[in-house]
């Protein structure tokens, strides 16, 4: 099972979170992978497919939003 499949199966969408700063895909997807929570862009056309990870889902979304707001 590759990363994309895991994210699609474990998807938790949160409409109020920020879109990808690179491609504008909205919203990104969250998944729990190997005990870590990962939020990332799932868009096949995205040049960067940024991801963040954390020990809780809330922490991970907060990291995503900080990154998305910074635009890098
Ligand atoms: Zn993207």
């Amino acid at each position: 099972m590759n990363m994309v499949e895991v994210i699609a199966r474990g998807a938790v969408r949160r409409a109020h979170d920020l879109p990808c700063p690179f491609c504008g895909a909205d919203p990104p997807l969250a998944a729990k992978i190997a005990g870590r929570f990962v939020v990332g862009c799932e868009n096949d056309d995205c040049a960067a497919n940024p991801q963040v990870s954390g020990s809780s889902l809330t922490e991970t979304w907060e990291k995503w939003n900080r990154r998305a707001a910074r635009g890098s």
Side-chain angles (χ1 to χ4, degrees):
M1 187 183 298
N2 66 31
M3 180 73 82
V4 172
E5 288 169 338
V6 171
I7 289 175
R9 292 181 189 193
V12 178
R13 291 187 178 275
R14 295 191 14 167
H16 60 281
D17 286 295
L18 296 177
C20 176
F22 295 95
C23 69
D26 180 39
L29 293 179
K32 188 174 187 181
I33 300 171
R36 298 276 293 173
F37 291 93
V38 177
V39 170
C41 178
E42 56 157 347
N43 185 353
D44 288 340
D45 295 327
C46 183
N49 288 119
Q51 288 187 341
V52 296
S53 64
S55 58
S56 76
L57 192 55
T58 300
E59 175 193 342
T60 309
W61 278 112
E62 286 173 353
K63 282 187 181 179
W64 172 267
N65 283 339
R66 277 200 299 274
R67 180 170 190 176
R70 206 170 60 231
S72 64

